[in-house]
Amino acid sequence: MVFQSYALFPHMTVRKNVGFGLAMRGIKGAEADRRIDEALALVRLGSQAEKLPGQLSGGQQQRVAIARAVVIRPPVVLMDEPLSNLDAKLRLEMRAEIRGIHDQIGSTTIYVTHDQDEALSLADRIVVMSQGRIMQIGTPEDLYQRPAHAEVADFMGFRTRLAGRVVSVSGEEVLIEAAGARLAGIARDALKPGDAAVLSVRPEDLVAVDEGEGIPAVVSNMEYRGRAFFGLAHAGDGSELFFRADSHLPRGVAAKLQPAAGRALVFRGEAQ
Amino acid sequence: MSGPSLGTRLAARGIDGTTLLVLPGIAVMVALFVYPFLYGIVDSLTPKDGVWYSNYTRFFSDRFQYGTIAATLWLALPVTILNLALALPIAFRVRLMNRQRLLTTILVLPVTLGTVFVADGLLTFLGPQGWFNRTLILVGLLDAPVKLTNNYWGVFASLLITGFPFAFLLTLSYVTGIDPAIEQAAATLGAKPRQRFMRVFLPLLVPGLAVTFCLSFVQAFAVFPSAVLLGAPAGATRVISIAAYQAAFEQYDHSMGTAIAIIMGVVELVIVVAVLGLRSFFYRGPAGGTKG
């Protein structure tokens, strides 16, 4: 088990920390030394073996925790948000490293996270849970492109959720009326005209347009994120819309927002 | 060539206008601690008659006097060790409880009572006609009352009751200061409860227990009211504070009284330094979660 707070034994050296599980199993002497060295080499901490945890950086401490967990060769390793206490850059490095360690040791790893990027980049299989219930199990591609529930879609980055009513259905394509506009989306549930429905769309797929059909909204906030501008706007009924634009729109300006074709998903039910 | 000004150089070493804020604190320390202490040393070295160190030679050549050191240690050390031995498991249990507040309040209550009140209560409770003896006789465990007051055991019980809350509260704060995830980590690595205690908790607790020991010991070593009220002040529980009291207020030799008080302080110091010295063999960093 790898803990969010590392939970290293502060009074033991790195070597003793890693060797603790072996000692508890009665593995001693040369065999223990060999396995500790192996585990430390795996996390590239061989040179820090005689230090105390307090003398290491956060990333190094978490690597010690990983070495300590895998040295006993458990069939399953549980990692409980192991990167939450690290800064953004270190998190990216450690993420790749954890995947590498997993591939080398071959134990099944259950990795708990709230970060969809982490889930997508690390997992072979993702289980999305909400309120203690499993919502969907699938590969990262599955979940990213075809979330089965509005909650899963929310976790996968479909930040805008608009409640409305189904107007017409033709095959997979659904037309719904929401936030003062008629919007086309891909049905993820069986729907018929008149049903209450939720349209979910990612910020990068909801674009501010100059002409044509779109949700009328008022810009409340804009952020520059390098490649494009991302913003928050409010529709007439108060719905929050997370959208993308090519230029900076001042606060208070009226805009039309259009979901990119085939990118919006429609689920049955009321918005929460 | 001109270097930085004196003010700048002092500031670089952390000395500037705000440093003056320590002055009130220093004044209080000097007035209430340093001056009386130095006064006491000088007082003890200016005896009524004889050379400057004659108070000390008198103390250490009279068995009735130097014997009080052993008598006091014989009370204070077992009481302190027993208090710690009781406080540790109870603190471990309380750590896991939901009603921690209530239990802690009950356990701490004796602190508010004061030593004289506790001594007086115990005098009745443990006396020949007290509940303790009566109950044991009623149950049939005893034929005749055991003598528990006006001897060593009376003082022992009183010190235990008044000293326990301190030991317990300090121990509890050290025990709860250990990140619970550390114990879970040890458990998932296969450590049984006994191994978790011996290899994880105890090493992390030793520094705190050493401090608790020192504070409890100093408190017990200075025993006075219960040694007089519950003990045998002329015999087994003639503790060193009684000797100092008698010299100063019964023989009106304040110089001798001060000398005994200083000897008392030195004995405490020796024990405290020894315990804290042993502590340095153990890990002394934070025992919580280590975050980067």
Side-chain angles (χ1 to χ4, degrees):
Chain A
M1 167 118 189
V2 177
F3 294 82
Q4 184 177 358
S5 62
Y6 317 146
L8 298 176
F9 307 123
H11 59 296
M12 297 184 195
T13 61
V14 168
R15 170 167 279 280
K16 290 239 173 75
N17 260 286
V18 175
F20 187 83
L22 297 174
M24 291 303 113
R25 280 162 174 69
I27 300 167
K28 289 192 272 266
E31 164 74 359
D33 283 341
R34 191 181 56 74
R35 280 172 65 171
I36 294 168
D37 289 335
E38 257 177 41
L40 286 175
L42 185 72
V43 297
R44 298 188 289 108
L45 279 177
S47 57
Q48 316 283 333
E50 298 310 321
K51 287 192 179 170
L52 289 172
Q55 296 168 297
L56 302 178
S57 71
Q60 287 173 328
Q61 290 185 40
Q62 196 53 291
R63 296 217 297 267
V64 175
I66 293 168
R68 186 180 66 173
V70 301
V71 76
I72 55 175
R73 294 181 191 150
V76 179
V77 181
L78 174 61
M79 297 198 183
D80 182 12
E81 300 190 48
L83 305 183
S84 309
N85 286 335
L86 302 179
D87 60 65
K89 185 168 172 287
L90 206 52
R91 211 177 298 168
L92 284 179
E93 287 171 23
M94 279 298 293
R95 193 205 276 179
E97 221 164 294
I98 285 177
R99 179 72 216 196
I101 291 166
H102 165 83
D103 291 344
Q104 282 183 63
I105 60 171
S107 301
T108 300
T109 304
I110 299 173
Y111 187 104
V112 181
T113 180
H114 289 295
D115 181 329
Q116 56 135 330
D117 277 349
E118 256 174 42
L120 290 172
S121 63
L122 281 175
D124 298 311
R125 194 146 45 127
I126 299 176
V127 178
V128 180
M129 295 185 70
S130 171
Q131 315 280 333
R133 295 172 64 163
I134 292 177
M135 306 303 290
Q136 188 174 359
I137 303 176
T139 63
E141 293 82 2
D142 261 355
L143 266 71
Y144 190 79
Q145 281 157 20
R146 291 178 295 277
H149 297 272
E151 286 80 28
V152 180
D154 191 42
F155 176 68
M156 284 296 151
F158 291 78
R159 292 186 72 188
T160 301
R161 299 170 77 177
L162 297 172
R165 296 225 161 257
V166 176
V167 178
S168 69
V169 183
S170 64
E172 261 209 320
E173 189 129 316
V174 189
L175 204 61
I176 85 163
E177 196 167 77
R182 291 199 163 196
L183 307 164
I186 310 288
R188 297 292 296 139
D189 291 312
L191 291 164
K192 59 182 189 303
D195 282 352
V198 176
L199 180 130
S200 292
V201 64
R202 290 199 169 90
E204 58 265 37
D205 296 326
L206 187 62
V207 194
V209 291
D210 296 327
E211 48 201 53
E213 204 41 33
I215 309 161
V218 177
V219 176
S220 339
N221 196 2
M222 285 297 278
E223 278 175 16
Y224 179 56
R225 298 237 197 100
R227 299 241 304 276
F229 290 89
F230 284 87
L232 168 66
H234 285 92
D237 64 353
S239 314
E240 290 187 328
L241 301 149
F242 298 91
F243 69 99
R244 173 168 68 88
D246 294 330
S247 59
H248 186 271
L249 303 175
R251 173 198 293 261
V253 114
K256 283 201 162 179
L257 306 176
Q258 199 175 61
R263 293 302 205 150
L265 302 178
V266 181
F267 300 93
R268 195 211 319 265
E270 313 279 340
Q272 282 142 7
Chain B
M1 189 183 121
S2 69
S5 71
L6 180 67
T8 317
R9 274 181 288 147
L10 283 177
R13 289 168 177 273
I15 299 169
D16 54 22
T18 49
T19 314
L20 294 174
L21 291 173
V22 305
L23 287 180
I26 288 181
V28 169
M29 287 296 284
V30 168
L32 296 181
F33 185 73
V34 178
Y35 172 71
F37 185 67
L38 293 177
Y39 183 91
I41 290 180
V42 172
D43 190 27
S44 76
L45 295 177
T46 47
K48 269 209 249 180
D49 41 38
V51 283
W52 58 272
Y53 53 81
S54 61
N55 276 334
Y56 294 92
T57 49
R58 257 171 66 207
F59 183 86
F60 284 107
S61 55
D62 184 353
R63 219 199 102 62
F64 188 59
Q65 297 284 39
Y66 69 75
T68 58
I69 295 180
T72 319
L73 284 177
W74 184 236
L75 261 175
L77 283 177
V79 163
T80 308
I81 291 168
L82 186 60
N83 258 337
L84 242 64
L86 287 174
L88 192 58
I90 295 178
F92 259 85
R93 186 68 194 81
V94 169
R95 166 184 76 114
L96 306 170
M97 285 176 40
N98 296 327
R99 291 277 184 83
Q100 224 184 77
R101 265 247 176 89
L102 180 70
L103 188 84
T104 306
T105 312
I106 293 170
L107 287 172
V108 167
L109 219 55
V111 175
T112 61
L113 298 177
T115 44
V116 176
F117 187 83
V118 170
D120 216 29
L122 279 177
L123 208 52
T124 323
F125 178 74
L126 295 177
Q129 287 301 315
W131 282 31
F132 186 77
N133 271 315
R134 280 198 191 185
T135 312
L136 289 187
I137 290 170
L138 196 73
V139 174
L141 280 171
L142 286 179
D143 295 327
V146 278
K147 188 172 157 55
L148 290 171
T149 51
N150 302 109
N151 65 5
Y152 177 82
W153 293 109
V155 188
F156 190 93
S158 159
L159 280 179
L160 204 60
I161 289 172
T162 49
F164 177 76
F166 285 104
F168 169 72
L169 278 187
L170 278 168
T171 311
L172 182 66
S173 72
Y174 285 115
V175 168
T176 49
I178 297 179
D179 181 1
I182 291 180
E183 190 190 7
Q184 289 162 17
T188 59
L189 290 167
K192 295 181 182 63
R194 199 186 136 76
Q195 290 168 315
R196 297 206 287 271
F197 180 78
M198 295 305 291
R199 303 188 59 152
V200 178
F201 277 118
L202 202 55
L204 289 175
L205 282 173
V206 162
L209 291 179
V211 171
T212 311
F213 180 92
C214 290
L215 293 175
S216 303
F217 170 75
V218 167
Q219 205 189 5
F221 196 78
V223 54
F224 183 72
S226 61
V228 176
L229 292 169
L230 270 169
T237 71
R238 185 169 187 269
V239 292
I240 192 163
S241 56
I242 294 181
Y245 170 80
Q246 286 175 339
F249 300 108
E250 287 178 8
Q251 293 150 19
Y252 299 109
D253 186 349
H254 62 84
S255 176
M256 183 66 192
T258 319
I260 297 174
I262 285 176
I263 290 165
M264 184 173 160
V266 169
V267 173
E268 288 175 350
L269 198 67
V270 167
I271 301 274
V272 167
V273 166
V275 170
L276 294 185
L278 285 176
R279 182 178 74 145
S280 64
F281 290 109
F282 290 87
Y283 169 80
R284 260 195 300 171
T290 44
K291 290 187 180 170

